[in-house]
Amino acid sequence: MKVGFLFGAGAELSYDMPNGGKFALDIFRRDTSLAKEEFKKNRSRIDLGSNYATSWLPEDFETKNIGSFGESVFNHIISDTITNNRSYIVARINGLDRVAESIINNTHVTYRQKVSDDLNKNFSDINIRHLLSYNEWFSEGNSLFNSRYFALLLVYYNEYTGFSDSDKESLGEIIKSIFQLHIGALSEKLSRNIQENIFSKDEMNLDIFDDLGSSLSINYHSAGVKGLELLSKVKIKDMHWIVEFGFELIEKIYADVLDYKSVIDSYWHYLYFPSTEWAKFCKISVFLHSVREYIANECPYDKDKTGYYDDLASQNRFTVSTIATSNYVNSLIGEKLKEFNDKLIYLNGSINDYYDPYMNAIISYEDFKSYKHFAVPLIFTQSGTKPMTSIDMSIKYVEYYNELKSSDAICSIGFGFNPDDEHINGIIRSLVDRDNKTLIIVDVVNDKSESERIDELAQKLKITNDQNIKLVIVDYERTCESLPWIDKVYELISNPVNRELIEWQCYSYHISDLINLIMSGFLKN
């Protein structure tokens, strides 16, 4: 019995890997000097007299300035974040206490006693629900003022006299950042509503009304930039505990909602036009070198913890035909699944792969060390479709498809099947719909029913053959109905339910009942 696997970012959370937003925060606020040095070393290897240098690179490229993403990119990131995640941002900030309690529980701060000592009042007596409310346009956000912890930040700022100047200034910036991100998301929804529904009633349906709303908009794009600027700075040492708590709170909010993919999407294009877009070519190149450096040397994870990779490595119930991952941290999956290294496929690139945009070719890290063209680490390939057409990458995808086609089932863990992963979704869709393969998705329990979740997954994948989708819903200990997830997957594969036969039997049964009823009616007559 053979099973092929697909791993996504969710599979690595049990190893304390940062989520996408935290990952982005860490990258955008780190020093890029080492990445620039790597870019310069690559530049120094280029033969100035070569056809490559004279036809593809700008004049004097060897001495031109090398730039990187700075605070100017924050506007772009915040605009994308608010546009793409507006409802989630509002819900996350409205439910601020859940975020705050997760921080308090992890840090074990004896905050109630600290509040009593600092403010001479009980934590339970700190409320602002009767003191603040948004105007009617933003009333959806009024749940924020029910938050006990947001109230705590405001009361400390207003009443506590023991702050240093820098502490009070920092706390004020934190509070404004939360407000601005919240209002930005509420404004985006209002702006969209105005553009789509300028009239509350329109029985005339005149075509001259069609674009009235499009001429009205709210400039929310800079809302929330203050928070990113704040998080990009080095935190002052020995801050008051409430300021430290506020920083953790805003970092967690931003890490949960941040969306930076379209920044990469918009810049990836410039990898192919260094002669006319040198500054932007440098920015995306340095960024990718910086990301690789972060992943290879700094990306935090706990290799001593156990997770899905360990579970798979220790099982002997079935044969693993192939393993693909959309993740980049080779050292984690490579170490945990080293016996399967010859079966591992990095679908979105990895820190061992580099991409030459001039040749549309993939090379190894070892080759890159002496490479005489510009090349960048091959990561974030969902943001640049061109690398997918490289013959080396195409071969990987075809091999993965063929291995899955020859397997008894496909098991996906931690993969979101999001629209920007359509290059992977298409493979799975073909296997489920066209090749009639069973797709088993291991996912964490939530408040939705199994049938509702399967419907959502089928819609995401654009699958019509949804009876081929099976769910293994696990808790945070990776167990399903008291069984390890790996045993549940084996159970599903080894004891398949022939749904078509059951449905046909039910159909036949109902038809026979109907015939009997008709015949009995005839006989009575």
Side-chain angles (χ1 to χ4, degrees), residues 207-416:
D207 58 4
I208 58 172
F209 294 162
D210 289 350
D211 61 351
L212 281 180
S214 63
S215 63
L216 302 171
S217 63
I218 297 169
N219 183 12
Y220 57 84
H221 296 103
S222 62
V225 170
K226 184 176 290 293
L228 270 187
E229 291 174 346
L230 195 64
L231 291 171
S232 69
K233 298 174 183 176
V234 176
K235 286 192 287 188
I236 302 168
K237 292 182 179 179
D238 301 321
M239 291 184 292
H240 189 276
W241 82 270
I242 194 66
V243 182
E244 183 76 38
F245 169 71
F247 266 110
E248 291 187 49
L249 186 63
I250 193 169
E251 179 176 87
K252 191 161 182 60
I253 291 169
Y254 273 78
D256 284 347
V257 303
L258 205 63
D259 190 324
Y260 60 95
K261 290 190 291 293
S262 59
V263 172
I264 313 306
D265 288 343
S266 61
Y267 273 85
W268 190 280
H269 169 76
Y270 299 116
L271 284 174
Y272 305 100
F273 299 98
S275 61
T276 56
E277 298 287 355
W278 175 255
K280 293 172 181 175
F281 171 82
C282 290
K283 286 181 179 181
I284 185 63
S285 297
V286 169
F287 175 79
L288 292 168
H289 282 295
S290 183
V291 172
R292 184 196 180 277
E293 180 196 334
Y294 170 78
I295 292 172
N297 302 315
E298 299 173 33
C299 187
Y301 65 87
D302 190 340
K303 64 182 179 181
D304 294 325
K305 287 197 170 184
T306 58
Y308 291 100
Y309 299 156
D310 300 273
D311 300 336
L312 182 58
S314 62
Q315 71 84 32
N316 56 10
R317 311 291 293 274
F318 46 73
T319 300
V320 175
S321 59
T322 183
I323 300 171
T325 179
S326 61
N327 304 325
Y328 312 108
V329 187
N330 308 37
S331 54
L332 175 58
I333 190 171
E335 179 62 30
K336 295 286 187 179
L337 296 175
K338 53 190 172 185
E339 65 182 282
F340 301 114
N341 272 342
D342 59 329
K343 298 180 179 182
L344 269 174
I345 299 172
Y346 295 90
L347 294 176
N348 280 348
S350 75
I351 60 173
N352 289 337
D353 295 326
Y354 277 71
Y355 177 63
D356 176 354
Y358 177 70
M359 300 297 294
N360 191 32
I362 297 169
I363 62 171
S364 69
Y365 174 58
E366 289 303 314
D367 289 338
F368 171 72
K369 292 177 182 178
S370 57
Y371 204 59
K372 296 184 178 181
H373 288 181
F374 278 115
V376 293
L378 181 60
I379 45 184
F380 295 116
T381 51
Q382 66 268 46
S383 302
T385 56
K386 200 104 177 228
M388 297 296 98
T389 65
S390 166
I391 186 63
D392 297 312
M393 187 60 81
S394 297
I395 288 171
K396 289 183 180 182
Y397 276 72
V398 172
E399 288 177 347
Y400 183 54
Y401 170 78
N402 286 334
E403 287 292 342
L404 291 179
K405 189 176 180 180
S406 66
S407 302
D408 296 293
I410 307 156
C411 182
S412 169
I413 304 169
F415 190 76

Side-chain angles (χ1 to χ4, degrees), residues 188-198:
E188 204 284 339
K189 295 183 76 172
L190 175 60
S191 179
R192 186 173 294 256
N193 189 45
I194 288 172
Q195 292 180 41
E196 294 175 356
N197 305 288
I198 192 69

Side-chain angles (χ1 to χ4, degrees), residues 486-512:
I486 201 87
D487 291 346
K488 198 67 180 177
V489 169
Y490 176 77
E491 186 180 282
L492 280 173
I493 300 167
S494 57
N495 299 299
V497 177
N498 192 332
R499 186 175 297 187
E500 289 182 4
L501 179 59
I502 291 173
E503 288 174 353
W504 171 247
Q505 287 172 341
C506 293
Y507 175 75
S508 301
Y509 173 78
H510 293 309
I511 290 293
S512 63

